[in-house]
């Protein structure tokens, strides 16, 4: 039987047709992957199914029954659960409270805490979703927050689970754990709709794949009968070259130097210890490491968002250790932050405002403190065009853009400023293959134009194909550094796990 | 809970026009409930509302009374709205306006030899500066120590009101039973627009400040920074905006505007500083800002509504013999409905849902 049938679903936002006559059939008990570029309409379609958006036209059938889903409550009653691209948990509440919120077991008029805890416990054991019911959301890792979201859906007896880009925020290990959970859910008869940009993941976990492009359905294929290449072609509508070609480079003079940088992050109790490295003009230095080993601290220290205790930072021959964030930016530092919603964008600002973030006092966008609307608008239009940002216009709020397009806004803003050094942290997180190709080429182009780039990434493939040199960070220390060719993937993996420290040197 | 979270996300995305519609709906509902209350307390609803409306807008004198009551609320409402733009909840308007009034009175009396317009401008400036300094204190405490501005502004209200009273009693009190300063010189008094109404050009000053603040937020780099800090402090800091400084500055600006409330009352209405002169303008300003959705022009409309309810309420009491407290209730209802728009949606939803389900 079919768990979900969507027929001829359409939805427009202003002038944009986000969904254009989409049909989708999901069989009961399968893992069905939805692929598509950023802005293809995946999230929109799922939000329609979950009752968060109203459709303009089309029909929805759940287990063969035609239904109207006007709000999430109805979707939940029909056994649908959704885990969003951006989590919707209440930070100050505990794990258990978040899971039961809105559906609390009652004892009289009070919440039956004990039963709540024991039910959460039971569910988490059954599906091997490890959580600490008493911990507050704000204090747990992203991976754990995601497990909470899944438990929340299961607690409401979801039979059909929608996972919108769950792996974008996970480390490889966490992704593997999630897949175990998904397989277990499948064995228990649950139906899973899974959205991702990673073709490898699609090939590993799904039974069937539906591909969307520009709001339309391109087709549905059986995973075992397809290949990553075919999927990429269907998604983008042309051949995608996942291998970049990197030109050889000659030695050049150093443009960025860090000497003996040390700090202590009291919150996570992580020490960055004596970090030193040099980046030449036209060179990409990759930072490999499992997330949480000091990458964030390094990124923040270099951009003056975090105080350092010792060390020196030198850009273009000038000691910038004492400069503030704005001064460093003005001196030629660009920053693509790892957490784009937290740091990189102001969601409620429109694109025009977001694109001048950091330059809001500078000519030509401002004159003596007065914003020059025309210049800002022209500039925004130019970036939107040049970086192919899919949006209804420069007045659209950043919050209304799809994830990948938000990333392009940040890239556009940072790279258009013609910086000398680019700190790019997870630049392709949550971004589709076409855009990854684009971003990779962009970074290489910047390199060939003589910029220095510090590339912090959790994707080994990305690091290996882009970096000229790689250093491995483990527990706040650089444990290895060398030319990219000098490391095999296995060696990098071991080094990142804190092993084989003697092997390479 | 589920639906409330859903509703809140929807509320966040509403456009200005729908917001206006919501506020209007809230007002209408509040007036309807007011009518029911009037009816059940045994009064003539038609007569009551006729007098309310007539008392607020019926003739030029009544209109002047409405505008007179509107003026201070524009300032205090705007002060709260400014704070909100950078995510700060300034409940300290009351203390700030006392300092504004006090400084204005002292300057007007001390420099009475200066020519009229200059003296007025100087006195206004003194009021804004005094209010601004008082406002910047919680800003500083927040930026440096993280002390929450809601707590500190409330405490500073008491300190402000008592400190000005103390200074008055010890240094500036006019002989006599009342705790008040001397009258300010004629030359320092703002001239009346309509004789015997006490409505002065302070109302134009208030509107001008609205225009300036609106312009500040829409068209200047500083306004941009203030909003950036308010909407996403992490991103603002990422871009090198110094959030601490912006917070102090915003609170100073907010305090300065609140200070002008006191200044214009001294220069236009009381012509002196009197202890306990404010019936809580600073607090009503919070309601005005909420109703006006923290937008400068919204504040103007909301202040006008509150001014009208107050002026009209008085005439209602006078001619229809209905206690003006009823208008306070209506005001409260308006706020309740506006502050809880989710509630209205919920209501309309469950009404719609009721005839569909089962
Ligand atoms: N609330 C909204 N208001 C206006 N436009 C929207 C809204 N939500 C989505 N859109 C637009 O609809 C299109 C489809 O967006 P959607 O979020 O469904 O894409 P997606 O396939 O999930 O992309 P991504 O992989 O980047 O998350 C985009 O062009 C987006 O800008
Ligand atoms: Mg999406």
């Amino acid at each position: 039987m079919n768990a979900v049938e969507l027929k001829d679903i359409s939805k427009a936002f202003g002038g944009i047709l986000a969904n254009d006559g989409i049909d989708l059939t999901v069989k009961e008990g399968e893992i069905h992957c939805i692929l598509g570029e950023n802005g293809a309409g995946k999230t929109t379609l799922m939000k329609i199914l979950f009752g968060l958006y109203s459709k303009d036209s089309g029909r929805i059938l759940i287990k063969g029954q035609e239904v109207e889903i006007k709000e999430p409550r109805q979707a939940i009653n029909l056994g649908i659960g959704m885990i969003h691209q951006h989590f919707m948990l209440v930070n100050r509440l505990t794990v258990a409270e978040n899971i039961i919120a809105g559906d609390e077991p009652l004892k009289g008029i009070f919440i039956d805490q004990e039963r709540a805890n024991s039910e959460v416990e039971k569910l988490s054991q059954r599906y091997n979703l490890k959580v600490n019911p008493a911990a507050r959301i704000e204090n747990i890792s992203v991976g754990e927050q995601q497990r909470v979201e899944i438990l929340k859906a299961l607690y409401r007896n979801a039979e059909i689970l929608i996972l919108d880009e769950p792996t974008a925020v996970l480390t490889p290990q966490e992704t593997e754990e999630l897949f175990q959970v998904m397989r277990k859910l499948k064995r228990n008869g649950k139906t899973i709709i899974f959205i991702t940009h990673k073709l490898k993941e699609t090939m590993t976990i799904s039974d069937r794949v539906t591909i969307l492009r520009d709001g339309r359905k391109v087709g549905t294929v059986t995973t075992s009968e397809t290949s990553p290449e075919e999927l990429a072609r269907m998604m983008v509508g042309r051949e995608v070259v996942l291998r970049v070609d990197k030109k050889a480079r000659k030695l050049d003079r150093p443009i960025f130097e860090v000497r003996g940088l040390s700090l202590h992050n009291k919150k996570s109790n992580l020490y960055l210890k004596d970090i030193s490295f040099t980046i030449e003009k036209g060179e990409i230095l990759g930072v490999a490491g499992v997330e949480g080993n000091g990458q964030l601290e390094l990124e923040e220290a270099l951009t003056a968002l975090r105080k350092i205790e010792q060390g020196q930072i030198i850009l273009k021959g000038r000691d910038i250790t004492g400069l503030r964030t704005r001064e460093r930016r003005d001196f030629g530092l660009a920053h693509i932050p790892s957490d784009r919603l937290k740091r990189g964008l102001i969601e409620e600002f429109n694109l025009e405002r977001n694109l001048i973030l950091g330059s809001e006092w500078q000519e030509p966008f401002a004159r003596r403190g007065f914003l020059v609307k025309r210049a800002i608008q022209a500039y925004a239009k130019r970036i939107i065009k040049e970086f192919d940002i899919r949006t209804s216009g420069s007045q659209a709020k950043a919050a209304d853009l799809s994830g990948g397009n938000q990333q392009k806004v940040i890239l556009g803003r940072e790279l258009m400023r013609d910086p000398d050094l680019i700190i790019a942290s997870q630049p392709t997180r949550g971004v589709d293959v076409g855009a990854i190709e684009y971003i990779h080429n962009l970074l290489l182009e910047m390199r060939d134009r003589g910029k220095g780039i510090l590339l912090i990434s959790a994707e080994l493939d990305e690091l290996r194909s882009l970096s000229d040199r790689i250093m491995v960070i483990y527990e706040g220390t650089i444990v290895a550094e060398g030319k990219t060719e000098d490391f095999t993937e296995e060696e990098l993996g071991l080094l990142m796990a804190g092993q084989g420290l003697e092997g390479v040197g | 809970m589920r639906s409330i979270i859903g509703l809140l996300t929807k509320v966040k995305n509403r456009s200005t026009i729908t917001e206006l519609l919501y506020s209007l709906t809230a007002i209408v509902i509040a007036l309807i409930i007011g009518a029911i209350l009037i009816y059940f307390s045994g009064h003539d609803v038609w007569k009551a509302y006729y007098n309310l409306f007539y008392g607020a807008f019926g003739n030029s004198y009544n209109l002047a009374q409405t505008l007179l009551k509107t003026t201070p609320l524009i300032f205090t409402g705007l002060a709260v709205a400014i704070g909100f733009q950078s995510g700060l909840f300034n409940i300290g308007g009351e203390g700030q306006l006392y300092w504004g009034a006090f400084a204005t009175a002292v300057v007007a009396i001390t420099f009475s030899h200066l020519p009229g317009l200059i003296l007025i401008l100087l006195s206004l400036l003194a009021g804004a500066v005094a209010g601004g300094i008082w406002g910047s204190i919680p800003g500083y405490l927040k930026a440096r120590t993280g002390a929450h501005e809601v707590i500190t502004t409330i405490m500073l209200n008491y300190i402000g009101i008592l400190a000005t009273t103390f200074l008055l009693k010890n240094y500036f009190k006019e002989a006599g039973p009342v705790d008040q300063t001397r009258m300010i010189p004629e030359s320092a008094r703002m001239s009346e627009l309509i004789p015997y109404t006490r409505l002065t050009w302070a109302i134009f000053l208030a509107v001008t400040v609205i225009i300036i603040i609106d312009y500040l937020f829409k068209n200047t780099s500083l306004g941009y920074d203030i909003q950036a800090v308010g909407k996403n402090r992490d991103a603002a800091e990422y871009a090198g905006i110094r959030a601490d400084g912006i917070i102090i500055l915003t609170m100073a600006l907010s305090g300065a505007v609140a200070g002008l409330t006191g200044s214009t009352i001294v220069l236009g209405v009381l012509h002196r500083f009197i202890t306990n002169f404010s019936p809580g303008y600073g607090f009503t300003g919070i309601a005005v800002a909420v109703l006006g959705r923290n937008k400068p022009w919204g504040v103007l409309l909301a202040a006008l509504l509150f001014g009208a309810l107050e002026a009209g309420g008085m005439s209602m009491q006078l001619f229809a013999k209905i206690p003006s407290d009823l208008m306070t209730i209506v005001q409260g209802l308006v706020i309740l409905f506006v502050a809880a728009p989710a509630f209205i949606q919920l209501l309309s939803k469950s009404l719609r849902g009721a005839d569909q389900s089962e």
Side-chain angles (χ1 to χ4, degrees):
Chain A
M1 198 171 26
N2 293 328
V4 180
E5 276 175 83
L6 300 178
K7 300 208 155 147
D8 203 21
I9 301 277
S10 292
K11 168 82 185 171
F13 290 107
I16 291 189
L17 250 184
N19 285 171
D20 184 2
I22 296 183
D23 293 322
L24 172 70
T25 304
V26 181
K27 292 184 195 156
E28 209 158 57
E30 75 170 340
I31 297 182
H32 194 111
C33 184
I34 298 183
L35 271 181
E37 290 179 280
N38 294 123
K42 306 178 295 289
T43 300
T44 304
L45 188 66
M46 290 303 114
K47 284 190 174 169
I48 288 172
L49 175 57
F50 194 58
L52 280 168
Y53 288 157
S54 61
K55 57 188 181 327
D56 296 343
S57 64
R59 299 191 300 141
I60 301 177
L61 282 78
I62 302 293
K63 301 201 173 123
Q65 288 277 328
E66 174 141 7
V67 293
E68 275 296 314
I69 304 179
K70 288 212 172 113
E71 50 177 309
R73 184 200 305 265
Q74 289 168 318
I76 291 165
N77 288 341
L78 288 164
I80 303 172
M82 180 158 179
I83 288 87
H84 294 273
Q85 199 165 353
H86 309 121
F87 301 149
M88 301 196 168
L89 299 170
V90 185
N91 267 331
R92 313 217 33 118
L93 295 184
T94 67
V95 167
E97 283 165 342
N98 264 283
I99 292 174
I100 62 164
D103 217 354
E104 302 88 351
L106 295 181
K107 202 196 273 170
I109 55 163
F110 297 104
I111 296 179
D112 187 344
Q113 273 305 340
E114 263 167 51
R115 226 180 89 208
N117 279 343
S118 78
E119 285 197 27
V120 168
E121 197 74 47
K122 226 167 50 199
L123 268 177
S124 95
Q125 267 172 15
R126 173 147 175 223
Y127 293 104
N128 204 11
L129 284 155
K130 276 168 261 151
V131 295
N132 172 5
R136 281 204 194 175
I137 295 298
E138 56 193 356
N139 296 329
I140 64 178
S141 72
V142 207
E144 190 166 349
Q145 288 183 16
Q146 193 165 62
R147 294 197 284 276
V148 175
E149 288 272 16
I150 297 174
L151 281 170
K152 195 170 168 180
L154 292 173
Y155 180 79
R156 284 162 183 69
N157 300 315
E159 288 297 320
I160 302 162
L161 282 162
I162 304 166
L163 299 166
D164 193 353
E165 283 193 46
T167 56
V169 290
L170 300 184
T171 64
Q173 293 91 315
E174 285 174 325
T175 302
E176 196 33 58
E177 283 169 31
L178 175 68
F179 284 180
Q180 306 277 6
V181 170
M182 284 168 65
R183 291 192 186 103
K184 191 142 193 175
L185 287 165
K186 183 177 152 183
R187 277 201 297 280
N188 277 277
K190 310 271 183 200
T191 306
I192 298 174
I193 303 177
F194 171 68
I195 299 178
T196 183
H197 286 295
K198 296 180 188 153
L199 300 173
K200 259 192 203 166
E201 295 179 358
T202 308
M203 297 304 292
T204 319
I205 193 77
S206 70
D207 299 305
R208 295 196 305 148
V209 190
T210 293
I211 296 101
L212 304 184
R213 191 200 313 150
D214 285 337
R216 288 198 204 96
K217 175 174 161 177
V218 180
T220 299
V221 294
T222 306
T223 311
S224 55
E225 295 164 7
T226 187
S227 65
E229 290 74 23
E230 186 191 17
L231 291 176
R233 200 177 328 114
M234 288 174 84
M235 253 171 86
V236 188
R238 61 177 166 83
E239 286 301 327
V240 182
V241 196
L242 287 168
R243 290 261 152 268
V244 289
D245 72 310
K246 193 168 61 182
K247 295 193 197 95
R249 66 178 290 276
K250 293 195 283 294
L251 286 181
D252 209 326
R253 61 191 162 77
I255 192 162
F256 190 60
E257 224 184 311
V258 172
R259 288 189 204 137
L261 187 142
S262 300
L263 64 80
H264 177 209
N265 180 354
K266 292 200 182 69
K267 241 176 157 180
S268 60
N269 198 28
L270 183 127
Y271 288 87
L272 269 193
K273 279 170 286 211
D274 197 22
I275 307 271
S276 300
F277 59 86
T278 307
I279 300 178
E280 289 179 4
K281 264 172 77 72
E283 185 184 45
I284 299 182
L285 174 62
V287 179
V290 175
E291 256 189 299
N293 275 282
Q295 292 96 323
L296 183 65
E297 287 79 1
L298 178 63
E299 173 189 341
E300 291 181 342
L302 297 181
T303 48
L305 291 165
R306 184 181 286 282
K307 280 214 178 73
I308 66 170
E309 278 151 27
Q310 259 171 47
Q312 240 184 340
I313 304 167
I314 295 152
L315 178 62
K316 293 187 281 181
R318 177 175 163 200
D319 188 338
I320 61 164
T321 319
L323 299 190
R324 296 173 189 282
T325 305
R326 178 62 57 93
E327 294 159 339
R328 289 188 196 183
R329 288 174 70 85
D330 291 347
F331 190 60
L333 196 83
H335 179 196
I336 297 155
S338 49
D339 193 336
R340 68 171 163 254
L341 286 181
K342 178 165 175 262
R343 284 251 190 236
L345 288 171
I346 298 181
E347 284 194 274
E348 281 175 62
F349 271 4
N350 62 25
L351 294 192
E352 289 176 14
R353 290 201 150 203
N354 267 296
L355 286 168
I356 60 159
L357 182 62
S359 315
E360 74 275 8
W361 287 91
Q362 279 166 15
E363 301 247 12
F365 313 123
R367 213 160 285 150
R368 290 196 201 87
F370 292 95
L371 298 174
V372 183
K373 289 245 158 108
R374 250 210 249 127
I376 296 171
Q377 199 165 43
Y379 182 71
K381 294 218 159 112
R382 204 172 113 214
I383 297 188
I384 289 172
K385 188 148 168 267
E386 227 164 279
F387 287 77
D388 191 25
I389 298 167
R390 309 275 169 87
T391 163
S392 55
S394 60
Q395 299 279 347
K397 284 190 180 160
D400 289 342
L401 258 57
S402 76
N405 282 300
Q406 290 177 335
Q407 185 70 358
K408 285 190 190 172
V409 170
I410 297 171
L411 278 162
R413 180 184 67 216
E414 295 303 298
L415 300 186
M416 278 299 255
R417 300 167 61 241
D418 197 31
D420 298 297
L421 184 90
I422 301 158
I423 296 169
S425 191
Q426 319 294 355
T428 57
R429 172 173 284 172
V431 160
D432 67 57
V433 275
I436 289 177
E437 183 191 23
Y438 175 82
I439 292 170
H440 284 177
N441 285 327
L442 201 65
L443 288 175
L444 285 177
E445 187 192 318
M446 288 286 146
R447 158 189 183 262
D448 295 342
R449 277 168 51 191
K451 320 281 184 204
I453 298 176
L454 183 74
L455 175 67
I456 303 173
S457 174
E459 304 283 333
L460 276 187
D461 291 345
E462 176 166 277
L463 282 171
R464 284 161 51 82
S465 60
L466 294 183
S467 311
D468 296 296
R469 280 185 303 129
I470 289 184
M471 56 186 193
V472 182
I473 191 166
Y474 177 74
E475 290 187 348
T477 316
I478 304 292
V479 291
E481 193 197 328
K483 289 215 182 78
T484 304
E485 311 84 81
D486 296 346
F487 296 101
T488 64
E489 189 160 348
E490 290 68 41
E491 277 170 340
L492 280 179
L494 284 174
L495 286 163
M496 282 163 61
Q499 290 157 11
L501 293 186
E502 321 75 38
V504 196
Chain B
M1 182 76 183
R2 283 188 295 252
S3 33
I4 287 177
I5 290 175
L7 287 173
L8 286 180
T9 42
K10 277 179 203 155
V11 169
K12 224 178 66 186
N13 294 329
R14 288 204 325 248
S15 69
T16 315
I17 301 212
T18 29
E19 280 189 11
L20 205 66
L21 277 175
Y22 268 103
S23 297
L24 281 177
T25 316
I27 293 163
V28 171
I29 295 181
L31 286 173
I32 291 173
I33 296 183
I36 296 172
L37 289 175
I38 294 170
Y39 179 79
F40 280 107
S41 56
H43 297 280
D44 182 343
V45 175
W46 167 246
K47 196 175 162 197
Y49 275 178
Y50 171 79
N51 277 301
L52 177 70
F53 188 81
Y54 190 84
F57 304 108
N59 55 36
S60 61
Y61 178 83
N62 290 356
L63 183 64
Q65 288 315 303
T66 294
L67 294 179
L68 179 66
K69 304 234 175 326
T70 301
T71 312
L73 298 181
I74 294 178
F75 286 118
T76 53
L78 192 59
V80 176
I82 291 170
F84 261 120
Q85 292 291 333
S86 77
L88 299 162
F89 202 5
N90 178 12
I91 310 194
E94 201 68 8
Q96 291 147 16
L97 75 86
Y98 268 89
W99 274 110
F102 185 74
T104 293
V106 169
V107 167
I109 292 167
T110 313
F111 299 97
S112 55
H113 55 280
L114 289 173
L117 190 62
I118 293 178
L119 181 55
I120 291 180
L121 291 178
L122 189 69
S123 310
L124 285 171
L125 184 70
V129 169
I133 293 173
W134 203 244
S136 69
I137 297 171
Y140 180 85
L141 292 174
K142 166 126 191 170
R144 283 296 126 85
T145 68
H148 203 289
E149 74 278 5
V150 167
I151 312 282
T152 51
T153 49
I154 290 178
M155 297 199 313
L156 284 164
N157 276 340
Y158 293 111
I159 301 175
I161 295 169
L162 293 174
T164 49
T165 305
F166 173 82
L167 289 177
L168 171 79
K169 284 190 175 173
N170 285 291
Y171 304 105
F172 297 98
K173 187 172 174 319
E174 185 191 48
V178 188
D179 286 334
Q180 59 188 17
T181 61
R182 273 195 276 135
M183 297 286 272
I184 58 172
E186 290 278 349
S187 59
R189 298 179 192 174
M190 293 173 111
S191 48
E192 281 184 326
L193 295 178
I194 304 172
Y196 308 114
T197 57
R198 290 179 301 163
L199 176 69
T200 65
W201 54 271
I203 181 79
F204 296 128
L205 179 68
V207 175
T208 309
V209 176
I210 292 260
I211 293 172
I212 293 173
I213 296 298
D214 188 55
Y215 188 86
L216 173 82
F217 286 127
K218 288 197 178 128
N219 295 305
T220 68
S221 308
L222 178 64
Y224 178 107
D225 284 357
I226 291 176
Q227 287 173 312
V229 170
K231 290 180 193 298
N232 186 344
R233 186 171 170 168
D234 288 316
E237 283 175 349
Y238 150 87
I241 297 169
R242 288 161 70 180
D244 284 356
I246 292 290
I247 285 173
I248 298 173
L249 200 78
T250 310
M251 282 302 291
L253 192 63
S254 173
V257 172
L260 285 176
T261 321
S263 306
T264 50
I265 288 174
V266 166
L267 298 179
V269 183
L270 300 175
H271 299 152
R272 55 169 29 131
F273 179 86
I274 309 174
T275 54
N276 299 320
F277 71 91
S278 166
Y281 293 126
F283 301 110
T284 314
I286 300 168
V288 170
V290 170
L291 180 59
R293 298 254 167 241
N294 295 309
K295 305 223 167 78
W297 291 106
V299 163
L300 180 70
L301 293 178
L304 201 59
L305 173 76
F306 276 48
L309 286 177
E310 218 149 284
M314 274 162 59
S315 106
M316 198 173 76
Q317 179 168 23
L318 217 57
F319 298 106
K321 302 281 180 284
I322 296 167
S324 70
D325 292 346
L326 228 111
M327 283 305 102
T328 317
I329 296 180
V330 171
Q331 284 180 5
L333 288 170
V334 171
I335 299 169
L336 196 68
F337 288 130
V338 174
F343 181 74
I344 296 182
Q345 280 200 335
L346 205 67
L347 208 69
S348 76
K349 261 218 168 122
S350 61
L351 286 180
R352 246 190 299 131
D355 52 45
Q356 279 170 2
S357 61
E358 268 89 50

